[in-house]
Amino acid sequence: MILLLNYYVSIKRQYDLQTFFEEPDYLKVSSIAKHAGLNPDLVRQYSSGVKHPSAEQAKKIELTIHKLADSFFVCLKLLF
């Protein structure tokens, strides 16, 4: 939540999988695949919709994204 002109503004971003992987380097397919212990080419196929991950693979990707997000927010807190 951001305080803007004495009003609180809440910004919520939603992504589809293809848009999500168009973000900065730490969100690149190869980086997420590396952190998740998955083959980058396979994760690219997931992100493009060519293939669909199993529940186990999807969970690995989800946990990796959460860990990266936690690290990102820790870094942000250190800056402010």
Side-chain angles (χ1 to χ4, degrees), residues 35-48:
H35 284 90
L38 300 172
N39 181 306
D41 291 330
L42 185 58
V43 178
R44 277 188 199 88
Q45 291 174 349
Y46 296 157
S47 71
S48 67

Side-chain angles (χ1 to χ4, degrees), residues 17-51:
L17 199 55
Q18 290 171 327
T19 303
F20 182 80
F21 285 114
E22 293 171 358
E23 290 296 323
D25 280 348
Y26 60 90
L27 293 179
K28 294 290 183 195
V29 173
S30 57
S31 178
I32 291 191
K34 177 184 169 187
H35 284 90
L38 300 172
N39 181 306
D41 291 330
L42 185 58
V43 178
R44 277 188 199 88
Q45 291 174 349
Y46 296 157
S47 71
S48 67
V50 171
K51 289 191 176 183

